[in-house]
């Protein structure tokens, strides 16, 4: 009644929660990677809307790029999931990694980007606004 699919993940308690953590790891890293790519395109002087169109038809396309990319380019104040949700979720991912004695360097990098965006005042904005961390870095470079 609550979902369209049901997957058996194993016999051990907590495997469903672990799968949710894996999902959030990938979502957070995908959003951060999309932000980095679009910010890099902007830095290279490429119109971000054109970059998104090209990327959306390439091997780099992803559900997160399609869902968050347009709001990275033209933020309409719509919030589907806030920056602070990923600060929390990626912290849970990292805690789970530590408990399993597994390094998660991409999740750690993404967490730092979301944490930075939150510290910049974007915590309650859409998670797509993690791109503002890159834009702030670009402004600092341009100020020199």
């Amino acid at each position: 009644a609550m979902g369209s699919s049901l997957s058996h993940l194993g016999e051990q308690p907590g495997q469903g929660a672990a799968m949710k953590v894996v999902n959030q790891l990938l979502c957070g890293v995908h959003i951060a990677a999309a932000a980095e790519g679009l910010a890099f395109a902007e830095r290279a002087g490429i119109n971000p809307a054109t970059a998104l169109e090209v990327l959306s038809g390439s091997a780099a396309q992803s559900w997160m790029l399609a869902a968050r990319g347009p709001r990275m380019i033209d933020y309409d104040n719509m919030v589907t999931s806030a920056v602070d949700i990923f600060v929390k979720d990626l912290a849970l991912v990292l805690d789970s990694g530590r408990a399993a004695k597994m390094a998660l360097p991409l999740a750690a990098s993404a967490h730092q980007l979301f944490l930075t965006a939150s510290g910049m005042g974007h915590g309650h904005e859409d998670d797509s606004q993690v791109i503002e961390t890159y834009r702030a870095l670009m402004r600092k470079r341009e100020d020199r």
Side-chain angles (χ1 to χ4, degrees):
M2 293 179 61
S4 60
S5 67
L6 179 65
S7 299
H8 180 74
L9 299 171
E11 301 300 324
Q12 300 300 316
Q15 288 177 307
M19 190 72 243
K20 175 65 174 166
V21 168
V22 170
N23 182 75
Q24 292 310 97
L25 182 160
L26 290 171
C27 289
V29 169
H30 283 177
I31 294 168
E36 187 168 310
L38 289 174
F40 186 39
E42 286 179 27
R43 180 72 176 172
I46 299 167
N47 178 301
T50 302
L52 179 60
E53 182 180 334
V54 170
L55 293 169
S56 295
S58 76
Q61 68 83 25
S62 70
W63 188 92
M64 279 299 192
L65 179 65
R68 301 310 199 268
R71 289 196 302 276
M72 289 180 187
I73 294 167
D74 186 21
Y75 186 45
D76 59 6
N77 292 318
M78 184 174 133
V79 178
T80 58
S81 178
V83 164
D84 280 345
I85 296 294
F86 274 99
V87 170
K88 174 192 67 76
D89 284 356
L90 288 170
L92 293 172
V93 168
L94 295 173
D95 289 344
S96 296
R98 269 190 295 281
K101 298 196 181 328
M102 179 163 180
L104 301 172
L106 295 176
S109 294
H111 183 250
Q112 290 300 304
L113 291 167
F114 281 100
L115 192 57
T116 300
S118 181
M120 292 170 53
H122 301 290
H124 296 295
E125 294 177 5
D126 189 69
D127 54 27
S128 64
Q129 296 313 289
V130 72
I131 195 169
E132 291 302 323
T133 60
Y134 291 101
R135 289 180 176 144
L137 290 169
M138 287 190 293
R139 280 192 295 277
K140 291 291 185 192
R141 174 105 175 117
E142 292 164 359
D143 290 344
R144 291 186 194 167

